[in-house]
Amino acid sequence: LKMRVARGTASFLGRHGLSGSLAHVRAAAGHRFFSARPARDPYEVLGVSRQANDAEIKGRFRELAKKHHPDLNPNDKEAQLRMSEVTSAYDLLTDPHKRRKYDDQYGGAASAGDAYSQSSSSAWADPSQMYSEFRDVFGKGSFGRMGNPSMRTAATQNTRGEDVSASLELEFMDAMNGGSHDLQLSIRDTCGTCRGSGSRPGTATSTCPQCRGTGAMKVDRGITTYGLPCNRCHGSGQVLDHPCGGCKGEGVVSRNKTVSVRVPAGIKTGMELQLQGQGHAGIRGGRAGHLFVTVKVHGHDDFRHIDDDVHRDVWLSLKQILMGGQVTIDTLHGPTSISLPPSTEPGSTRVLQGKGPPRVSRSGNGNFVAHFLLRPPRSLTPRQIQLIEEFDEIERQQEQSGRGRRADQSM
């Protein structure tokens, strides 16, 4: 069938004077179709060098996927074609075996386009395969199609489970010290009766009589052939003649589950933890989804977590400000004594290197930053007022004496 479509497309292009290689299989918006757009080298498609590592390829795919994803461009057919092309290139370059074979056989740029065309057109692409890439690259399904039940069942019989999002609230010191915390979740787990098969024990699935096990219904539209998911088996190619009574053929059941979350020391509000395989169970033997935990850290009366450092205000008396001396400060790791110089400026800071919380994103600890503030007395006794006035008078006389000496020196 593909050869017949390709020959018809080639004839059409020849009559209209168009050029370009054919047979790029495209998958977008829940259907599959052939395109007459020129096939390109996968490195060129992603815009990476042939020496690019997996992180560079994944980062570039992330950028292009956000730009061309069909859900973000619902009426743009060009974006759908581009998204399929990007996904095919990403699939080839992130598979070590495929990439090595491709590089060994077609390392030169001259034959790269033809090789990519052949590798991309070898089979009909499944739309769920394209969207499943986003779960692995972006971490969790953030596009509408990924949460659509019909799309989830339109791929294969064993479908990856959905991701689960949860929140975890922590006290400030618990976040600074890290540790394990339990989360209570309601998830879909593998059915114990049918062990995830969806079939009643002792029975099995059978080939869909409507699509004959292909999972797709092919429709001819002139020179183009569309592949639509079978409406009987929803694209799986199999039907359940005797669904399991415990899970109604889904292979999963809802239950409560306690998950232990290991929190790294120094974590901050807004950070997200990923627990692989702790999400909803896969459909009929598919991999389980992931659990994403968003952290919220409660505030503290004394400490403030800013970037990698912890700050706190240290209130000093008038004597400490003017005369200095030893001051004891409560840090995250206990009391610490520091020496203050005379005439310490209110509002000045002292940085204690490495005395802050552990850094989550890199090694080592942050700093502890002490902010020195003057604590004025709430009320003054007559004696205190008298001493302050005497102090102010002495200051005034010293200032006048200093101005006189400077005037004599300038004459």
Side-chain angles (χ1 to χ4, degrees):
L1 178 61
K2 288 186 290 181
M3 293 176 64
R4 175 165 55 85
V5 172
R7 286 197 298 269
T9 307
S11 177
F12 175 82
L13 293 176
R15 290 197 304 270
H16 291 273
L18 301 177
S19 61
S21 57
L22 308 178
H24 235 175
V25 178
R26 310 293 183 178
H31 61 268
R32 288 153 277 192
F33 52 94
F34 287 92
S35 168
R37 299 183 64 200
R40 292 193 293 150
D41 172 44
Y43 293 99
E44 180 184 347
V45 170
L46 294 182
V48 297
S49 69
R50 293 183 174 276
Q51 290 73 39
N53 56 33
D54 287 345
E56 292 171 331
I57 293 172
K58 183 174 292 187
R60 182 57 179 161
F61 175 70
R62 200 185 287 260
E63 296 175 9
L64 294 174
K66 290 179 179 179
K67 180 179 179 181
H68 299 293
H69 193 277
D71 279 1
L72 304 180
N73 305 273
N75 299 318
D76 189 347
K77 295 296 183 182
E78 186 71 17
Q80 295 177 1
L81 295 175
R82 177 67 173 147
M83 186 65 251
S84 179
E85 187 178 47
V86 168
T87 304
S88 296
Y90 173 78
D91 177 67
L92 189 150
L93 295 183
T94 53
D95 186 309
H97 177 71
K98 291 181 181 178
R99 183 178 181 183
R100 183 168 56 253
K101 183 178 179 181
Y102 175 85
D103 289 340
D104 291 344
Q105 189 172 1
Y106 304 100
S111 59
D114 292 338
Y116 179 48
S117 173
Q118 294 168 14
S119 65
S120 299
S121 61
S122 60
W124 279 56
D126 193 316
S128 68
Q129 294 173 359
M130 182 177 78
Y131 293 115
S132 69
E133 296 289 348
F134 291 94
R135 291 186 177 274
D136 294 330
V137 173
F138 292 108
K140 55 182 174 180
S142 56
F143 296 102
R145 295 185 199 275
M146 296 180 188
N148 188 322
S150 64
M151 179 63 76
R152 290 196 305 270
T153 58
T156 55
Q157 191 174 12
N158 51 346
T159 306
R160 180 186 182 277
E162 291 185 358
D163 298 324
V164 175
S165 296
S167 60
L168 176 64
E169 296 189 10
L170 299 173
E171 296 299 328
F172 186 88
M173 293 307 298
D174 289 336
M176 295 302 99
N177 296 327
S180 295
H181 298 266
D182 290 339
L183 269 180
Q184 300 294 327
L185 303 173
S186 177
I187 66 167
R188 293 190 294 275
D189 202 1
T190 302
C191 175
T193 303
C194 66
R195 298 184 180 180
S197 68
S199 299
R200 185 189 307 165
T203 67
T205 61
S206 61
T207 301
C208 175
Q210 184 163 310
C211 66
R212 298 182 181 181
T214 64
M217 302 299 294
K218 300 176 183 179
V219 182
D220 288 328
R221 290 291 183 269
I223 65 168
T224 305
T225 296
Y226 291 85
L228 301 178
C230 174
N231 57 14
R232 173 73 181 275
C233 66
H234 303 292
S236 68
Q238 300 289 315
V239 292
L240 296 173
D241 297 322
H242 305 283
C244 171
C247 62
K248 304 298 187 295
E250 288 294 324
V252 293
V253 293
S254 296
R255 72 177 182 87
N256 294 325
K257 178 181 179 181
T258 300
V259 177
S260 180
V261 181
R262 188 185 68 80
V263 176
I267 197 167
K268 294 184 289 187
T269 292
M271 287 186 171
E272 190 175 65
L273 304 174
Q274 176 182 350
L275 283 73
Q276 294 189 357
Q278 295 294 331
H280 293 303
I283 303 298
R284 299 173 192 165
R287 291 182 302 157
H290 304 321
L291 169 62
F292 292 86
V293 181
T294 302
V295 175
K296 179 182 178 181
V297 180
H298 293 172
H300 194 275
D301 292 338
D302 299 320
F303 301 121
R304 303 183 297 276
H305 196 180
I306 302 176
D307 296 330
D308 291 330
D309 306 326
V310 163
H311 299 241
R312 79 162 297 166
D313 295 333
V314 179
W315 294 93
L316 303 176
S317 67
L318 181 61
K319 176 184 176 182
Q320 291 172 317
I321 288 286
L322 296 176
M323 302 182 64
Q326 293 296 121
V327 176
T328 299
I329 301 175
D330 288 330
T331 69
L332 294 176
H333 309 289
T336 297
S337 181
I338 63 173
S339 178
L340 285 181
S343 301
T344 296
E345 291 282 346
S348 61
T349 61
R350 174 74 64 85
V351 177
L352 305 182
Q353 298 286 341
K355 296 296 185 180
R359 297 187 179 103
V360 176
S361 57
R362 51 198 176 105
S363 61
N365 283 43
N367 302 322
F368 185 91
V369 183
H371 297 255
F372 299 120
L373 303 175
L374 172 63
R375 186 190 302 276
R378 295 186 177 181
S379 62
L380 297 174
T381 65
R383 176 60 176 161
Q384 287 175 319
I385 295 174
Q386 179 183 356
L387 291 174
I388 290 175
E389 290 177 346
E390 291 178 4
F391 177 84
D392 186 65
E393 178 64 22
I394 294 173
E395 283 285 294
R396 186 179 62 80
Q397 292 176 0
Q398 287 180 343
E399 184 177 352
Q400 291 178 348
S401 176
R403 284 200 298 267
R405 285 195 300 269
R406 288 194 296 272
D408 293 339
Q409 293 173 356
S410 62
M411 294 179 62

